[in-house]
Amino acid sequence: SAVISQKPSRDICQRGTSLTIQCQVDSQVTMMFWYRQQPGQSLTLIATANQGSEATYESGFVIDKFPISRPNLTFSTLTVSNMSPEDSSIYLCSVSSGRGREQYFGPGTRLTVT
Amino acid sequence: QQQVKQSPQSLIVQKGGISIINCAYENTAFDYFPWYQQFPGKGPALLIAIRPDVSEKKEGRFTISFNKSAKQFSLHIMDSQPGDSATYFCAASKGSRLTFGEGTQLTVNP
């Protein structure tokens, strides 16, 4: 499976600011995804990061709040904009090579908004 | 609408016992059913997965049982060990979009 890293691993941010989370994979992958996991809860898909085109967002998530970039086949960013305490969560990227259906997750970014 | 329901929410098992976690789904279009294991502070790790054309898949101590007509699938952990203590998530997908269950916190007592 691919080795996935995320930066930062954790951050504490002020209300109203924005944070950009990076996801780097050690090999080219077909698909990259961003999930949110609120403390003690399950994972919810935010969007699919498409290379060379706009991300595909799930119901309840919008581009203005969670802009996503994917400039190449190994890198993606998720920005959490105009943060509020309700945005405190773990943000996870995952990847799929496309050959199978397997998705592999990065270590996550733990965000606390004060 | 929760499309994948997982139970129990928490489970305590003695070392050497069998841990069983159950999931039920609603969308008959789902065609891929993975299980993930997550330790505190880590991302979920893919454990084992099954497609609906088989009723059982085994990898080491982990077995998935799948009942297509009942729209249910379960994870069995044989000879459970304290190192298996973690949160387990079932998931289902049609295409690439995974829908996760609520998670089961497993504790294996020594």
Side-chain angles (χ1 to χ4, degrees):
Chain A
S1 62
V3 176
I4 306 164
S5 59
Q6 286 185 232
K7 289 182 181 180
S9 58
R10 57 178 61 230
D11 207 341
I12 301 173
C13 299
Q14 297 287 329
R15 179 196 300 258
T17 63
S18 298
L19 176 72
T20 295
I21 302 167
Q22 299 178 3
C23 179
Q24 179 75 56
V25 193
D26 69 341
S27 59
Q28 292 186 345
V29 293
T30 305
M31 307 194 76
M32 298 182 77
F33 308 89
W34 287 98
Y35 287 82
R36 181 172 72 184
Q37 184 177 29
Q38 294 178 308
Q41 308 247 341
S42 186
L43 290 84
T44 301
L45 179 63
I46 298 172
T48 301
N50 301 310
Q51 196 238 339
S53 65
E54 195 170 282
T56 303
Y57 290 84
E58 297 299 305
S59 175
F61 298 97
V62 295
I63 187 171
D64 290 346
K65 176 67 175 177
F66 297 103
I68 287 170
S69 77
R70 189 177 173 193
N72 57 50
L73 293 176
T74 63
F75 186 78
S76 177
T77 66
L78 168 74
T79 299
V80 186
S81 303
N82 188 25
M83 288 184 285
S84 67
E86 292 70 35
D87 295 319
S88 297
S89 272
I90 299 170
Y91 291 86
L92 296 144
C93 72
S94 74
V95 305
S96 174
S97 68
R99 288 189 294 273
R101 301 285 291 278
E102 297 85 2
Q103 272 190 41
Y104 301 98
F105 283 82
T109 295
R110 183 178 294 270
L111 170 62
T112 302
V113 184
T114 60
Chain B
Q1 180 186 6
Q2 180 64 41
Q3 294 193 56
V4 181
K5 289 189 177 293
Q6 184 171 343
S7 63
Q9 188 173 18
S10 63
L11 179 63
I12 299 175
V13 173
Q14 291 300 118
K15 178 182 176 181
I18 303 173
S19 304
I20 301 174
I21 305 170
N22 301 298
C23 283
Y25 62 97
E26 299 169 6
N27 188 345
T28 55
F30 287 146
D31 61 355
Y32 175 71
F33 303 87
W35 285 89
Y36 285 85
Q37 177 190 58
Q38 186 176 31
F39 293 104
K42 304 292 186 183
L46 179 63
L47 259 183
I48 186 172
I50 198 168
R51 296 179 189 268
D53 53 345
V54 298
S55 60
E56 186 175 281
K57 183 175 181 180
K58 182 176 180 179
E59 289 184 3
R61 296 185 295 111
F62 300 93
T63 299
I64 299 178
S65 296
F66 186 83
N67 186 329
K68 188 174 181 179
S69 61
K71 293 188 287 184
Q72 295 176 346
F73 59 109
S74 60
L75 176 70
H76 296 232
I77 306 174
M78 312 300 288
D79 187 26
S80 299
Q81 299 296 313
D84 297 330
S85 297
T87 301
Y88 292 80
F89 292 96
C90 64
S93 76
K94 165 73 177 166
S96 60
R97 297 168 65 250
L98 284 173
T99 300
F100 283 83
E102 301 95 329
T104 296
Q105 187 166 346
L106 171 66
T107 302
V108 182
N109 288 328

